Amino acid sequence: MSDVAAGLTIEEEGGRVVLVPTGDWIVDTIARFASDIARIDHDIDPGRVMIDLSGIDRIDTAGAYLLARPIHRARDGVTEQHFRGDHATARRLIQLVLEKAINSEPEIEDRRFGFIQAAARVGAGLESAWKEMIATFAFFGHAITSFASTSARPWRFRMTPIFAVMEVAGVNALPIIAVLSFFIGAVVAFMGANLLETFGASIFTVELVGIAVLREFGVLITAIMLAGRSDSAFTAAIGSMKMQQEIDAMRVLGIDPYEALVIPRIVACVIMAPLLTFAAMIAGIVGGLLVCWSALDISPQFFVTRIHDSVPIQNFWVGMSKAPVFGAIIAIIGCKQGLDVGGDVESLGRHVTASVVQSIFMVIIVDALFAMMYLELGI
Amino acid sequence: MSAASTPLIEVRGLKTAFGTHVIHDGLNLEVRRGEIMGLVGGSGTGKSVLMNTMIGLKRPDAGEIFYNGRALGKMADSERARLESHWGVLFQGGALFSALTVRENVMAPMREHTDLPRSLMSELADMKIALTGLGPEAPTKFPSELSGGMKKRAGLARALALDPDVLFLDEPTAGLDPIGAAAFDSLIRELRDALGLTVFIVTHDLDTLFAICDRVAVLAEKRCVAVAPIDELLQNDHPWIREYFRGPRGRAATMAREG
Ligand SMILES: Nc1ncnc2c1ncn2[C@@H]1O[C@H](COP(=O)(O)OP(=O)(O)OP(=O)(O)O)[C@@H](O)[C@H]1O
Ligand SMILES: [Mg+2]
């Protein structure tokens, strides 16, 4: 497309201001004239403005809008006396733009920065965090009652989605969880070996690995992987259903979205978390075992016997007891965030992030509570 | 042939398929410069797919699309980009950016392709939004806060953002009230007359066909079985076309037109 250069000359003539646009007045070419036109619009009485159309080559609605601006406030409306010369379409376009366009002033963005604004943001943040917490607790309650009422009629449990989630969130996560746990076990053993060797007590590495992996790391690795891997998937899946009004459609069709979407995910996570934790424990201990073997010359047989003899079995049960709780927390937070998604993609992204962050946060807080509780109980 | 009737867009021997499901086979179509062409056809016959193929979103399995005689599939990226910047497209679902307000949606193509000052962009966006019949409260709304018909209008405003040379509209009047649909029709014609637009409209709206389309193409049996001004189509003997225009709804629209 060959662009004839656009031009604008402004002439004074018999007390009137004549705008003489020339060339192509189209969206690609008019940027330069915006400020001139704005000045005329601001300074000069619209009754005195006249537009000479004869020099225009091509014009589109953007060009027409710009030309119409100095005259659109004319008291007696836009009439013949505002125009001079002739053009095939310019008059018509200007008229079209004038008829339809709204005279809204462009919005001025509030871009003030200062102490008050900062304080206001902190306040708003705290308030929304507080509300979010209340809402999450309410959701917990709702999920639990809904779970209880489904349990009373166990045939209402939806088996297909439960097994589907168990596979996707559980079985498919097994390799990564096992590998991570293996390395954590190995790292713990290495650090223990290094440190304990200086006291000549390197044999206690076995206890260190056993207790650390059974009590904490097995279940924490599992929970964090579930949170990062499955929680985001739960939130994204439910959230995009929410965006497409699928959840509304379920309600209208008499399907309880809690029963269809939330409960299966909770059940699947509660079942899979202990199983995955068990696998993680095994992998972690194997990691520790291999390090002990290679770095400390502790034979596998000896390692296993020693774990049997000197690591109390409670440690295993402490670890396992936390797994279903973490599983439930993760599933509930993921579903809650999914159902909170609004109409736009931005909110989907925000809630996926929130879901992962909140569930990891909650897992660690609850883990600390468990630690205090077991400490008090002396287990 | 006069300049006005050389085809701007030419679809030649088009075949499209999803897997083994063939949608079009040996489809030919010409859209002339400055005309408003309507495309009709039953639901699922591939009107939206044809439009998407014409704008290059779907690659043809055979055949080629020509713009001004140049094959779309063989254009260099820069030529293609220049061409695309002169297109306005309204998708069937609106396809607004959900994270942006209506005004920002309309400004998006301007930001990308022009160097207009921000304030002027925002005024132009408001003007386009008003042109399509949305009220003064619309520009600051998000798409999720709009009704179905409002989304259509906002989508049209975005399609018009750069005053395109070619406008592709997929069912623009579906979901609009009759008054709004009539205003829509007259806006399209007004813009065509004033700007010399070429307009390609996929529609089920018989009133739109009668009111503004210069020619109507009928999609059936995987190809365009007829392309003609509406009056000629009314005489066509193809069974589907007969059914379409002489069924109860078609008759009502035809009669309304003939008074
Ligand atoms: N992404 C896709 N994958 C597979 N098949 C598709 C896809 N998109 C469309 N189709 C098929 O192509 C055919 C034509 O679809 P298209 O959306 O073009 O219909 P249409 O003519 O626009 O119908 P309507 O009037 O309802 O909008 C349909 O049979 C549809 O199933
Ligand atoms: Mg369609």
Side-chain angles (χ1 to χ4, degrees):
Chain A
M1 224 146 271
S2 69
D3 282 352
V4 183
L8 175 67
T9 38
I10 300 164
E11 298 163 2
E12 291 267 357
E13 211 180 286
R16 303 199 58 168
V17 177
V18 183
L19 304 182
V20 188
T22 53
D24 283 351
W25 271 62
I26 59 177
V27 69
D28 299 322
T29 59
I30 56 171
R32 294 183 279 139
F33 311 119
S35 57
D36 286 344
I37 297 277
R39 216 184 49 240
I40 293 171
D41 183 19
H42 189 261
D43 294 345
I44 295 174
D45 168 31
R48 289 177 49 218
V49 177
M50 183 189 271
I51 301 170
D52 187 338
L53 303 174
S54 53
I56 301 177
D57 212 6
R58 286 190 303 150
I59 183 167
D60 65 9
T61 57
Y65 177 85
L66 208 56
L67 286 179
R69 206 156 65 166
I71 52 174
H72 80 283
R73 270 193 276 269
R75 235 165 294 115
D76 320 320
V78 174
T79 54
E80 274 312 319
Q81 56 116 355
H82 286 107
F83 298 102
R84 193 171 76 184
D86 213 11
H87 183 269
T89 57
R91 266 302 291 280
R92 200 159 160 187
L93 267 181
I94 292 174
Q95 217 72 43
L96 179 74
V97 167
L98 283 169
E99 259 168 46
K100 300 274 176 67
I102 35 175
N103 297 321
S104 69
E105 295 301 321
E107 66 185 320
I108 312 281
E109 284 169 52
D110 188 4
R111 279 203 191 279
R112 285 171 297 162
F113 294 106
F115 179 71
I116 308 228
Q117 275 73 29
R121 283 188 68 159
V122 171
L126 278 179
E127 192 194 355
S128 80
W130 174 250
K131 284 191 178 146
E132 176 88 23
M133 199 173 83
I134 306 264
T136 307
F137 277 120
F139 190 89
F140 259 79
H142 194 151
I144 288 167
T145 51
S146 166
F147 182 78
S149 75
T150 316
S151 303
R153 293 164 297 163
W155 62 90
R156 300 212 45 142
F157 277 115
R158 289 161 193 259
M159 284 317 190
T160 322
I162 290 181
F163 284 116
V165 176
M166 278 169 71
E167 177 176 354
V168 173
V171 179
N172 294 354
L174 184 63
I176 180 77
I177 287 177
V179 168
L180 279 185
S181 190
F182 175 88
F183 281 112
I184 294 280
V187 167
V188 169
F190 255 123
M191 293 196 6
N194 266 340
L195 207 62
L196 293 170
E197 211 160 24
T198 53
F199 305 112
S202 52
I203 195 66
F204 285 103
T205 307
V206 178
E207 275 94 329
L208 179 66
V209 169
I211 294 179
V213 167
L214 291 181
R215 213 177 163 104
E216 294 292 343
F217 284 128
V219 67
L220 270 185
I221 296 289
T222 306
I224 288 171
M225 271 324 283
L226 272 185
R229 206 179 156 276
S230 311
D231 228 36
S232 46
F234 291 172
T235 308
I238 297 181
S240 34
M241 291 177 76
K242 183 84 189 294
M243 282 167 65
Q244 306 284 341
Q245 277 197 307
E246 288 178 48
I247 309 273
D248 296 341
M250 285 185 159
R251 290 220 167 88
V252 175
L253 296 172
I255 303 168
D256 178 6
Y258 277 83
E259 204 178 290
L261 298 174
V262 179
I263 300 295
R265 286 181 166 80
I266 297 177
V267 171
C269 280
V270 168
I271 296 175
M272 289 315 287
L275 298 179
L276 288 170
T277 300
F278 184 73
M281 288 171 174
I282 304 278
I285 286 176
V286 170
L289 180 149
L290 288 181
V291 168
C292 285
W293 194 12
S294 63
L296 298 175
D297 275 335
I298 298 175
S299 76
Q301 292 90 326
F302 182 74
F303 186 96
V304 172
T305 326
R306 188 161 172 94
I307 280 219
H308 253 292
D309 295 344
S310 58
V311 177
I313 189 70
Q314 285 104 307
N315 288 306
F316 171 76
W317 292 120
V318 165
M320 287 305 264
S321 70
K322 296 189 270 193
V325 179
F326 289 170
I329 289 174
I330 288 164
I332 289 174
I333 289 177
C335 296
K336 147 99 179 26
Q337 292 296 332
L339 287 173
D340 280 356
V341 168
D344 58 319
V345 279
E346 205 116 298
S347 101
L348 182 64
R350 222 171 29 240
H351 281 96
V352 171
T353 311
S355 136
V356 174
V357 171
Q358 279 184 20
S359 51
I360 292 181
F361 179 81
M362 281 305 286
V363 160
I364 287 174
I365 296 282
V366 171
D367 191 54
L369 292 179
F370 266 115
M372 288 196 305
M373 187 180 85
Y374 286 128
L375 193 73
E376 288 296 315
L377 291 173
I379 300 174
Chain B
M1 225 189 255
S2 71
S5 62
T6 48
L8 173 67
I9 312 171
E10 195 179 352
V11 182
R12 226 182 278 157
L14 178 73
K15 176 179 174 190
T16 52
F18 291 100
T20 55
H21 182 187
V22 177
I23 314 288
H24 307 115
D25 201 358
L27 184 149
N28 295 307
L29 182 65
E30 283 181 4
V31 182
R32 295 174 193 155
R33 202 178 306 277
E35 80 173 339
I36 301 181
M37 165 164 279
L39 178 68
V40 300
S43 284
T45 47
K47 302 183 296 298
S48 301
V49 173
L50 176 58
M51 194 182 100
N52 289 344
T53 314
M54 285 167 70
I55 58 182
L57 292 179
K58 180 167 168 45
R59 192 174 277 282
D61 290 275
E64 191 49 272
I65 320 281
F66 296 88
Y67 282 84
N68 290 318
R70 312 248 316 129
L72 189 63
K74 298 196 181 72
M75 277 180 200
D77 285 350
S78 60
E79 186 180 1
R80 173 92 173 256
R82 206 167 47 243
L83 188 66
E84 281 171 354
S85 73
H86 293 284
W87 290 346
V89 181
L90 169 64
F91 290 99
Q92 193 165 7
L96 297 168
F97 301 122
S98 66
L100 303 181
T101 62
V102 171
R103 178 187 288 140
E104 289 165 342
N105 260 286
V106 179
M107 282 164 69
M110 299 185 198
R111 282 189 189 194
E112 206 55 41
H113 294 289
T114 71
D115 51 359
L116 297 172
R118 227 193 111 86
S119 61
L120 180 60
M121 269 192 221
S122 131
E123 285 175 51
L124 284 176
D126 284 2
M127 183 260 290
K128 308 273 155 147
I129 293 166
L131 274 183
T132 58
L134 285 169
E137 73 294 340
T140 51
K141 286 209 160 117
F142 284 94
S144 54
E145 300 164 350
L146 298 180
S147 76
M150 290 165 82
K151 279 185 197 150
K152 276 275 154 71
R153 291 164 191 259
L156 180 70
R158 189 179 65 183
L160 292 174
L162 291 178
D163 282 298
D165 298 335
V166 193
L167 205 49
F168 295 92
L169 308 172
D170 197 346
E171 304 200 15
T173 54
L176 290 190
D177 61 277
I179 303 173
F184 207 103
D185 287 347
S186 71
L187 173 68
I188 299 290
R189 193 168 44 193
E190 190 82 32
L191 289 175
R192 193 273 305 261
D193 293 346
L195 300 173
L197 287 182
T198 306
V199 188
F200 182 80
I201 312 182
V202 174
T203 187
H204 290 298
D205 188 335
L206 287 156
D207 295 319
T208 302
L209 293 178
F210 282 113
I212 63 171
C213 290
D214 300 315
R215 292 194 306 155
V216 176
V218 180
L219 191 59
E221 301 158 10
K222 303 188 166 96
R223 58 198 178 85
C224 288
V225 291
V227 188
I230 190 94
D231 297 312
E232 284 173 37
L233 274 190
L234 292 176
Q235 314 305 324
N236 196 302
D237 271 338
H238 188 280
W240 190 84
I241 300 176
R242 256 213 328 256
E243 175 88 24
Y244 192 87
F245 290 107
R246 298 185 207 159
R249 289 173 166 234
R251 253 202 326 272
T254 321
M255 268 152 60
R257 182 178 193 219
E258 282 156 5

